[in-house]
Every structure is written in C-alpha cells, then in structure tokens.
Amino acid sequence: MAEHEDWTAGDDAQLRRAMATLRRDVEAVPLPDVRFVRARGRARRRHRFLGLTAAAAAAVVVAGTVGYAAWGPSSTRTPLTPASSARTATTTPPSTTTTTPADTLDQPGALPLVGEWASSLGLTGSVLLTPVKGFGPVECLQSEPGTKVQQEEVTRAPEMQGGQVRFRIGAGQDATTAADGVASDIAGCRLAPGYKVTPASSGTGQRVYSYTAGDAGSGWWAVVAGKHDVVVLQVNQNDRPKSGFTLTQVQELVSTAQKRLARYGTGTKGTASTTSSPTFTGPKAVDQQMTVVGPSPVPSWKLFVAASQWKSSALTGGAATTAGPGAMEGSTAVASCETDQQQAGVGGRVGVVSVRVGTSSTGYIGRQRVQLDESSGPDAQQAYVDARLAEAKALFGKGCSTGNGTVRSTAGPTAGTWRLDTVSTDGTPTLSEWVGVTAQRTSGAVSTVVITKASDPAQGFAELDRLLNLARQK
C-alpha cells in the first residue's frame, strides 16, 4: 500500500471515478416494494420457527388438509436430527430414500411420506421430513376453513424447501368446496410485485399451479381434496427463477396424496383413530418394570420389551437376561452411525433400556430405545413415526464413516432391519450389530432394537425380528 507522501493527484482522480461508478450502479437498481420486503421477512422468520434444524436453503413442500403452509425465500438452517419435529420437525436426521410410493402406501399416513416425496420428485441424497408443532400460518390463503391437523416440512439441502399441511373439514362442510376456495386464493395470490401464479393442470379432486417470484425463487402449488380433508402441497426453490421440477413429477406426488387421502383420510377405514388393533403372532409381550435412562421425563417402562424376554438359546445360550444401568452417560444414541449431535434434535420423549447377561459390564448383549411423540392428534403422531422410520432407513441403510474406520451396512430379510459391521482402517472387523426399527402399538411410539452380541451370530436377524415383534405389541 502506498505511503501518504506517495499519493498523487492521479490516484485521487482514479478513486473518485471508481466511487462515482459505484454510485451510478447503486442508483440504477430500484429498491424493492416495501410489501415484498415485509413478505420475505415474515417468511424468513417462519422458516427459523418451523425448521430449527432443517437444511440450509432447502426446498419446503407444504401439504394441508384445507390449507398449505407456504415457506418463502431461503433461510440458513442446520441439519435437524429426528425431531419432530419434526419431528421435525422435526427435525429430524437426513433420510436418503429410494422407496417408491407403491412400496410405501401400506404404511399409514394421510400425507405423503418422505420416501414418496423423494421418489416422486427424483430426490437423491439427504431428504428430511419434519413434523411441525405449533402450526405455522399459511400465506396466500385469505382464510383457512376447517381445522389444521397436520403440518410437515420436507427438505433436501441445498436445492429445495418443502412442506405439507393438512386441514380437516368438519361435519356439514364440503371438502370440494373448501378446496375450490383454497385454489382460488392461490390462483389470485400476489405476495409481492413479480409474484405470478400460473394454472398448470386440473383434474378430479386436484389442481396444480406453478409460480415464479423474481429473486424470491419459484415453485409449485397443488391442492388435493379428499372426503373430509384438503391437502395443499408447495415446492419451493428459492434460488431458481424457474423450478427445476417438472409438472410430471409434481403430478406424481399429487397422485400419491390423493391415494393417501382416499385410504387414510378422515372418515376412511384406514384412519388411525378408527383402525382396529393389529393382530400379533408369535411370543406375547409381557410387562417388566425396568430402569429407563434418558432425559426426564422418559417414556414409561411399559413401552419396552421385558429384559427377561431377550433370553434365548440363539442370543444368550439360554442364560437369563436382566436390565442393567449400562454406560449411557446421558447419550440416547444406541447404534453405530448415530451420534449425540444427530440425536440432540429429536423431539418428544426418549429413553433407553440396556440388557445384559449376568452383572458384568462386559455382559451387555443389546439395548432398546423408545422415542415417543405425545402430540394431541393421531395424524401428527403418525407423521412423527413415519419420520423416524425414514430417518433410520437413511442412517442405517447406507452405513457411514468413522474416525477409526467404516461401518458397512447389510439389509436384513425384513424391512427396517440391518446388520452393521464396523471395520477399522486396516480392514480388521471390530464390531457387528443387528439393528431394527419399528412402530409400536402405542400411537406416536417408535422402537430401535440393537443386538450387540449373539451366541449364534447366524441367527442374529431371526432374533432381531423376534424382539421387534415384541416391541410392536407395546
């Protein structure tokens, strides 16, 4: 840098020209309309509220029973662990999904699952579905007929943000009429100068719109009517003037939403509140009071498989099993590839029971974690369960790297089960675990069962299935 005595008149003139050029460039760009600035500010605040740990600049899709939750311009967010939280939203650990809707329609839920989002929109990599507690507002809608009973965020960092909200239409109301009102609000929406909504397609019970919003990005709207529900879906790409998703992809997601409303919507036989209890085969679960470790308040011990029922010839060589204190040190991570940081954002109650043979610290053979969402509505609880199952598939289905080696994943013969083999950097096997995740009979409850030691390793998956069946009865 030149000393003061070296500064010349030529240097002074060059600096003045640069400042004048900068001033002209600034004055040439008009300030945005104040209404647009305010709209973007509200959207950003809602993003921070709804997605405490979602992904940075993700794409949110909002599905609503008679409404939708619009999430506007991009916000910076860090990945959310299973929350609900989530989860969400929680939020909820990333979930890479290759499952197609045809594979997942048997899983209950009135809104599309995270795997169906991924399959329909062709998403790869880290996809997260996070249920939202304390439902957020729905932009564009002049009114929200009915009762909002479910709201979720779907994110894939960093390309998109998305989410879904569902409204239930009460007795004496017509879902088709309510959907018409929502569609009219969306079609006429003008959040800010440059915000333009264009009809893309329509059919029985559904309408799709594309939209552009200038520097606020672009995306899609979809309104789906069921028997007593209306779902509104939104897909946002806040950094693109034109959406990278096609009408065909959005229509596939809409088709899935229609099928789910027909099967699990209000007033259908598949509705969580009207379905009968499942019939279980095999060993019957018993209750056994045990110490549950975790942040207070922990789930009831009645939700856990009795420690005595872990005993078997294949798993323990016939030796008796008891619940032990374990060495949790406050952690709720129970399997390889899980971390305390990843678990920190999981909403609801969480607790762990460790099982061992004998009283030695080396006698532990496994553990069970129960995550419980106690939302008031069964649909929100089901969304929490769906998010946990999707997160497990993403986390355990692909394995992971550790500081000392690699965790290799092998899918089990039944859905939701894996064998995780940890191999050190020199190729030496150091740990094998059988991991299974399942929903439980109690609404909003999910169990993760981990076997770390088996007398007959060849029977590891069979023993895991036996324990998961006991967990489902709780």
Side-chain angles (χ1 to χ4, degrees), residues 40 43-44 47 56-58 71-76 158 161 215-216 237-239:
R40 295 187 66 184
R44 286 195 177 100
H47 278 306
W71 295 301
S74 60
S75 57
T76 301
Q161 295 177 319
D215 67 351
Q237 289 184 285
N238 298 318
D239 59 345

Side-chain angles (χ1 to χ4, degrees), residues 24 166 176 207 226 328 332 384 387 391 455:
R24 287 195 301 270
R166 171 176 161 233
T176 301
R207 299 180 191 182
M328 295 299 299
T332 56
Y384 178 86
E391 291 158 358
S455 297

Side-chain angles (χ1 to χ4, degrees), residues 258-271:
Q258 285 185 302
K259 292 175 182 177
R260 286 202 159 275
L261 278 186
R263 190 166 182 176
Y264 300 109
T266 306
T268 65
K269 293 181 179 180
T271 302

Side-chain angles (χ1 to χ4, degrees), residues 220-299:
W220 297 86
W221 286 107
V223 183
V224 182
K227 185 176 181 180
H228 298 293
D229 307 272
V230 175
V231 168
V232 181
L233 310 169
Q234 186 189 19
V235 182
N236 287 339
Q237 289 184 285
N238 298 318
D239 59 345
R240 293 190 177 212
K242 182 178 180 180
S243 177
F245 300 112
T246 67
L247 174 59
T248 299
Q249 289 175 313
V250 176
Q251 287 174 323
E252 183 175 341
L253 182 63
V254 169
S255 176
T256 300
Q258 285 185 302
K259 292 175 182 177
R260 286 202 159 275
L261 278 186
R263 190 166 182 176
Y264 300 109
T266 306
T268 65
K269 293 181 179 180
T271 302
S273 60
T274 61
T275 47
S276 58
S277 299
T279 300
F280 297 98
T281 59
K284 301 301 179 183
V286 301
D287 287 339
Q288 179 181 345
Q289 188 165 357
M290 301 170 291
T291 299
V292 180
V293 178
S296 182
V298 296

Side-chain angles (χ1 to χ4, degrees), residues 51-246:
L52 298 179
T53 43
V60 181
V61 181
V62 181
T65 295
V66 167
Y68 82 99
W71 295 301
S74 60
S75 57
T76 301
R77 302 184 292 182
T78 54
L80 176 68
T81 50
S84 179
S85 90
R87 195 106 283 325
T88 108
T90 209
T91 206
T92 23
S95 59
T96 305
T97 340
T98 55
T99 312
T100 63
D103 298 326
T104 59
L105 282 175
D106 286 339
Q107 298 181 34
L111 293 181
L113 309 182
V114 64
E116 295 164 341
W117 276 97
S119 176
S120 299
L121 299 181
L123 304 177
T124 59
S126 179
V127 184
L128 175 70
L129 182 148
T130 307
V132 174
K133 303 293 183 62
F135 300 138
V138 178
E139 291 180 353
C140 282
L141 297 190
Q142 299 300 313
S143 61
E144 297 180 359
T147 301
K148 191 183 297 183
V149 295
Q150 191 172 356
Q151 183 169 338
E152 299 170 347
E153 288 186 78
V154 179
T155 55
R156 184 195 183 282
E159 292 84 355
M160 69 170 267
Q161 295 177 319
Q164 28 189 50
V165 181
R166 171 176 161 233
F167 287 81
R168 176 178 298 150
I169 308 305
Q173 295 180 297
D174 179 67
T176 301
T177 301
D180 289 343
V182 172
S184 177
D185 286 348
I186 291 173
C189 183
R190 296 293 182 268
L191 284 179
Y195 192 95
K196 181 181 180 181
V197 179
T198 304
S201 71
S202 62
T204 304
Q206 58 91 2
R207 299 180 191 182
V208 178
Y209 301 86
S210 63
Y211 77 88
T212 55
D215 67 351
S218 60
W220 297 86
W221 286 107
V223 183
V224 182
K227 185 176 181 180
H228 298 293
D229 307 272
V230 175
V231 168
V232 181
L233 310 169
Q234 186 189 19
V235 182
N236 287 339
Q237 289 184 285
N238 298 318
D239 59 345
R240 293 190 177 212
K242 182 178 180 180
S243 177
F245 300 112
T246 67

